[in-house]
């Protein structure tokens, strides 16, 4: 048994009693680590294991949050730039995604002639006639026929430049479609007149580019009365609307097509074949 003096020293020094393997009492200071044999007994004791498992939740949460903050701080420095861009999308990306969603929604709502069972399916044959009027084959055939039948040099000059403009339009639209490769709307029926391989793509609308370019060409180089000029403009607009009503294109395809065709006419004016150049070409062909 410990002596009273040892007990008094225990009370003053703040030590706690422990029991050794041979049954003897010994005193252990709070400021010192326990002996190895006590550590072994504490580690094997299930009660002490439960006590360690039931550690203060506040302290565990504090240590967990500190570890998470430190790991996030170090991990944020190691994220590659492309991951940061995906996590923090730019304003331009959000705007383009929103514009695309609006375009798809509006195009589907306006596709009222996409099939016979649509709300405006009864006027689908009329819209298909408008579609054929803006097709490239009738325009190429008409330009060749007028060039062959023209008696004046001025008429041949106009028809030859119109023919060159139509060929240029076909080439430029085919290149853009092959590069962009945007699929046609899902509600479209592939029953178009005289299609080619690139016609399975939607952007831009070749009918819209051709309508805008030919309308500017006719208004600039043909002497037309005011009612006929209005009809030419209405025809170009109706061709563009028919592409959306029939479900052939999205709205942005037609809008971009109108802009592209408008700019193509400027290129035609830059590459215009003069009467002298026409005579030289005719002489070489003769």
């Amino acid at each position: 048994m410990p002596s009273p003096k040892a007990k008094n020293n225990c009370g003053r020094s703040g030590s706690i009693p422990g029991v050794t393997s041979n049954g003897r009492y010994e005193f252990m200071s709070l400021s010192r680590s326990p002996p190895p044999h006590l550590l072994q007994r504490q580690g094997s004791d299930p009660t002490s294991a439960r006590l360690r498992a039931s550690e203060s939740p506040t302290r565990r949460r504090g240590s967990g949050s500190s570890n998470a903050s430190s790991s996030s701080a170090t991990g944020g420095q190691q994220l590659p730039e492309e991951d940061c861009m995906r996590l923090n999308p730019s304003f331009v990306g959000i705007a383009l995604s929103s514009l695309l969603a609006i375009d798809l929604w509006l195009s589907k709502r306006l596709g009222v002639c996409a099939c016979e069972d649509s709300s405006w399916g009864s006027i689908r044959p009329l819209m298909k006639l408008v579609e054929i009027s803006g097709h490239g084959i009738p325009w190429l055939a008409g330009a060749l026929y007028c060039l062959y039948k023209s008696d004046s040099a001025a008429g041949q000059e106009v028809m030859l430049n119109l023919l060159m403009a139509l060929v240029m339009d076909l080439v430029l639209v085919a290149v853009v479609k092959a590069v962009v490769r945007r699929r046609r709307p899902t509600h479209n029926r592939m029953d178009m007149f005289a299609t080619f391989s690139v016609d399975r793509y939607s952007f831009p609308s070749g009918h819209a580019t051709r309508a805008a370019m030919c309308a500017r060409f006719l208004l600039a180089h043909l002497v037309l009365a005011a009612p006929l000029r209005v009809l030419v403009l209405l025809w170009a607009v109706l061709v563009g609307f028919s592409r959306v009503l029939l479900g052939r294109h999205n709205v942005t395809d037609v809008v971009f097509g109108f802009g592209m065709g408008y700019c193509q006419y400027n290129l035609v004016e830059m590459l215009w074949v003069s009467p002298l150049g026409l005579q030289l070409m005719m002489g070489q062909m003769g």
Side-chain angles (χ1 to χ4, degrees), residues 21-97:
S21 57
N22 54 8
R24 296 181 58 188
Y25 286 96
E26 66 179 10
F27 294 94
M28 180 176 60
S29 175
L30 288 175
S31 59
R32 299 178 182 177
S33 58
H37 62 274
L38 288 182
L39 287 177
Q40 295 177 357
R41 293 190 59 183
Q42 289 178 2
S44 60
D45 188 6
T47 304
S48 62
R50 286 195 298 269
L51 289 176
R52 288 195 303 271
S54 62
E55 190 182 356
S56 174
T58 306
R59 284 167 45 186
R60 294 216 312 255
R61 282 198 300 268
S63 61
S65 61
S66 61
N67 293 335
S69 61
S70 61
S71 62
S72 63
T74 56
Q77 297 175 357
Q78 298 175 358
L79 280 177
E81 185 177 357
E82 55 270 15
D83 291 344
C84 297
M85 292 176 64
R86 286 198 296 267
L87 293 175
N88 301 304
S90 62
F91 175 77
V92 177
I94 296 176
L96 290 178
S97 301

Side-chain angles (χ1 to χ4, degrees), residues 73-255:
T74 56
Q77 297 175 357
Q78 298 175 358
L79 280 177
E81 185 177 357
E82 55 270 15
D83 291 344
C84 297
M85 292 176 64
R86 286 198 296 267
L87 293 175
N88 301 304
S90 62
F91 175 77
V92 177
I94 296 176
L96 290 178
S97 301
S98 303
L99 179 62
L100 179 61
I102 295 173
D103 178 37
L104 296 177
W105 172 81
L106 185 60
S107 302
K108 190 165 186 178
R109 292 295 300 270
L110 293 177
V112 293
C113 301
C115 59
E116 289 78 4
D117 299 335
S118 301
S119 56
W120 289 14
S122 58
I123 65 172
R124 178 178 170 82
L126 178 61
M127 290 294 103
K128 293 192 72 173
L129 288 177
V130 176
E131 176 184 49
I132 295 175
S133 70
H135 199 277
I137 291 180
W139 277 92
L140 288 171
L144 285 172
Y145 180 79
C146 292
L147 179 61
Y148 175 74
K149 286 294 184 178
S150 181
D151 296 331
S152 62
Q156 292 178 356
E157 176 187 352
V158 172
M159 289 299 106
L160 179 61
N161 284 278
L162 178 59
L163 183 62
M164 293 174 57
L166 292 171
V167 173
M168 182 188 65
D169 172 72
L170 290 175
V171 173
L172 292 178
V173 170
V175 169
V176 176
K177 283 187 175 182
V179 171
V180 178
R181 294 176 176 268
R182 185 183 189 184
R183 294 290 180 180
R184 291 188 180 269
T186 55
H187 55 280
N188 172 49
R189 292 177 58 186
M190 292 300 293
D191 56 349
M192 297 178 290
F193 170 74
T195 58
F196 298 94
S197 59
V198 294
D199 288 330
R200 67 177 180 270
Y201 301 122
S202 174
F203 186 89
S205 171
H207 284 68
T209 59
R210 193 174 303 110
M213 184 191 66
C214 291
R216 286 196 68 188
F217 191 97
L218 296 178
L219 293 177
H221 297 283
L222 295 183
V223 180
L224 300 175
L228 292 178
R229 298 175 73 88
V230 173
L231 286 177
V232 169
L233 292 175
L234 289 178
W235 167 81
V237 174
L238 186 59
V239 168
F241 270 113
S242 68
R243 310 311 292 157
V244 181
L245 296 179
L246 289 171
R248 309 294 196 201
H249 292 276
N250 296 307
V251 176
T252 51
D253 302 336
V254 176
V255 173

